[in-house]
């Protein structure tokens, strides 16, 4: 089943990002029929893999509010129903613990910025949704990937932000957002988050210019 889900996601630039069977101790999401899900498959992207499909959809659907969320919902709701599952989304409230799920599904760990870091794709990856299923799915055992930040002595991500929004523990969200409204902050608005860009891991997968601007503009307006 995972192979056919992979094939259904591929034209959209999306990939399954692991999954797991819920355990008794989990806060297990309830499905629309009132029963509890048995397993979850996370769905996301690496680098700019979704950008072509998303921008084509956006051209055909101008003026849609929250376009990336709307696109994700259109694509993943259709795929979920094709496979007898139910899609949930990271931006929907109450927030589901996507990062905790991702740590379990892909063995990722957080970087000092709070974003999970992938050994190959670095900080240039995110989740567009998750597919919940009423049945157990057989997942391949997790490979131990190591944590790239352990080997990074200088941690350039922590010194690159012009307003020191990251201290390795917290993220000064208001300070970051306020800076984006200033003249010097236009460097971040145009090119993307300087802290994220300072990370040497997966640099090759850094988002394309349009995608950088799209995300940071959405954040600045949120
Ligand atoms: C609210 C939110 C924010 C808020 C507050 C973040 C914060 N300080 O916690 C704001 C708006 C500031 C924010 C910003 C960003 N976010 Co955000 N955010 C969320 C959201 C919707 C909910 C977080 C939450 O409360 N979850 C509920 C709890 C129960 O889940 P959890 O897994 O236990 O939560 C973990 C996080 O809270 C995390 N955490 C703690 N501190 C921080 C700080 C940061 C910066 C992040 C990203 C996470 C984080 O630790 C928790 C334990 O693992 C999640 C999606 C989701 N459903 O989780 C995305 C999410 C965490 N964000 C994400 C991203 C990518 C970003 C941005 C980079 C957006 C962008 N521009 O692309 C920015 C980061 C700023 C930057 N420098 O660019 C991704 C992270 C992917 C990854 N690789 O880990 C997520 C998972 C969304 C997604 N679609 O993939 N975000």
């Amino acid at each position: 089943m995972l192979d056919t889900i992979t094939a259904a996601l591929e034209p959209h630039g999306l990939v399954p990002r692991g999954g797991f069977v819920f355990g008794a101790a989990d806060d297990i999401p309830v499905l629309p029929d009132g029963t509890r899900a048995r397993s979850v498959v996370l769905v996301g992207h690496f680098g700019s893999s979704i950008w072509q499909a998303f921008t084509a959809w956006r051209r055909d659907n101008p003026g849609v509010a929250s376009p990336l969320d709307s696109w994700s919902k259109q694509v993943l709701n259709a795929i979920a129903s094709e496979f007898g599952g139910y899609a949930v989304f990271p931006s929907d409230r109450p927030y589901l613990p996507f990062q905790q799920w991702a740590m379990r599904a892909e063995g990722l760990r957080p970087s000092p910025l709070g974003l999970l870091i992938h050994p190959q794709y670095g900080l240039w990856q995110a989740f567009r949704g998750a597919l919940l299923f009423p049945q157990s799915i057989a997942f391949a055992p997790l490979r131990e990937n190591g944590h790239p930040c352990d080997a990074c002595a200088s941690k350039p991500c922590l010194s690159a932000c012009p307003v020191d929004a990251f201290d390795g523990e917290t993220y000064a969200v208001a300070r970051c957002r306020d800076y984006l409204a200033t003249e010097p902050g236009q460097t971040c608005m145009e090119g993307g988050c300087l802290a994220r860009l300072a990370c040497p891991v997966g640099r090759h997968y850094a988002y394309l210019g349009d995608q950088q601007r799209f995300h940071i503009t959405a954040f600045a307006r949120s």
Side-chain angles (χ1 to χ4, degrees), residues 90 96-97 99-100 103 113 115-116 125 127 166 171 193 196:
L96 289 163
Q99 289 191 303
Q100 287 180 40
M103 287 192 258
L113 302 184
L115 301 167
L116 301 179
Q125 36 81 28
F127 304 92
F166 302 96
Y171 170 31
C193 170
R196 205 173 177 186

Side-chain angles (χ1 to χ4, degrees), residues 45 111 113 115-116 121-126 156-158 160-161 166 192-203 206-207 211-212 215-216:
H45 64 91
S111 68
L113 302 184
L115 301 167
L116 301 179
Y121 302 100
L123 303 174
W124 305 105
Q125 36 81 28
C157 59
L158 290 180
C161 173
F166 302 96
C193 170
L194 297 179
R196 205 173 177 186
L197 284 163
C199 174
V201 183
R203 211 38 205 79
Y207 296 159
Q211 191 176 1
Q212 296 278 13
H215 286 298
I216 207 144

Side-chain angles (χ1 to χ4, degrees), residues 2 5-6 8-10 12-19 40-46 50 71-72 75-76 79-80 87-90 98 101-102 105-106 125-133:
L2 280 174
I5 292 177
T6 305
L9 293 171
E10 203 260 325
H12 310 285
L14 290 163
V15 283
R17 298 198 47 189
V40 57
V41 176
L42 277 98
V43 176
H45 64 91
F46 295 121
I50 55 168
W71 173 78
S72 305
V75 170
L76 293 183
I79 291 176
V88 289
F89 300 93
F98 266 78
W101 287 356
E106 262 187 339
Q125 36 81 28
F127 304 92
R128 298 282 20 118
L131 306 174
L132 301 175
F133 291 98

